[in-house]
Amino acid sequence: MADNAEHTEPSGAEKMFGDFAPALVAYTDDVLFGQVWKRPELSPKERSLVTVAALTTSGNTEQLVYHLGLAKENGATEQELIEAITHLAFYAGWPKAMSAMAVAKQVFRGE
């Protein structure tokens, strides 16, 4: 959580868990997005593609809704993301790729 949280909109983690799980919110905001995502060794777009791949291969499609949008903000195109999920069908398994693609279609087309 940022020191100036009273001047900024709450993070997604804070909106979801607020006072329920403050440590998880702090780790998410300060460590994951405040430190790990800021490391210069990978670009934000590369980090997004890796994250989408990890979520797809693990079957965590609920988190894909947020991360597909973030990937677009970080410079990944819808076509690149669709291609990445298609590619993962052969490595992660067809059902996981189909589930991830259903989320992508919902996020990108509202269907």
Side-chain angles (χ1 to χ4, degrees), residues 5-53:
E6 66 273 3
H7 299 295
T8 62
E9 185 176 327
S11 69
E14 193 169 355
K15 288 177 186 175
M16 287 175 58
F17 299 115
D19 293 332
F20 183 75
L24 183 60
V25 171
Y27 293 136
T28 300
D29 293 347
D30 298 340
V31 178
L32 178 59
F33 287 106
Q35 294 176 28
V36 175
W37 273 81
K38 303 288 186 208
R39 292 172 51 83
E41 290 80 6
L42 293 175
S43 70
K45 178 181 175 180
E46 291 166 330
R47 287 189 190 280
S48 282
L49 289 171
V50 169
T51 301
V52 167

Side-chain angles (χ1 to χ4, degrees), residues 40-88:
E41 290 80 6
L42 293 175
S43 70
K45 178 181 175 180
E46 291 166 330
R47 287 189 190 280
S48 282
L49 289 171
V50 169
T51 301
V52 167
L55 293 172
T56 298
T57 60
S58 64
N60 290 307
T61 55
E62 183 178 300
Q63 293 291 311
L64 271 177
V65 173
Y66 171 77
H67 280 284
L68 287 168
L70 182 61
K72 286 181 64 177
E73 289 176 25
N74 287 336
T77 66
E78 289 182 7
Q79 195 57 44
E80 288 173 323
L81 293 162
I82 291 167
E83 183 62 24
I85 295 168
T86 301
H87 184 76
L88 287 167

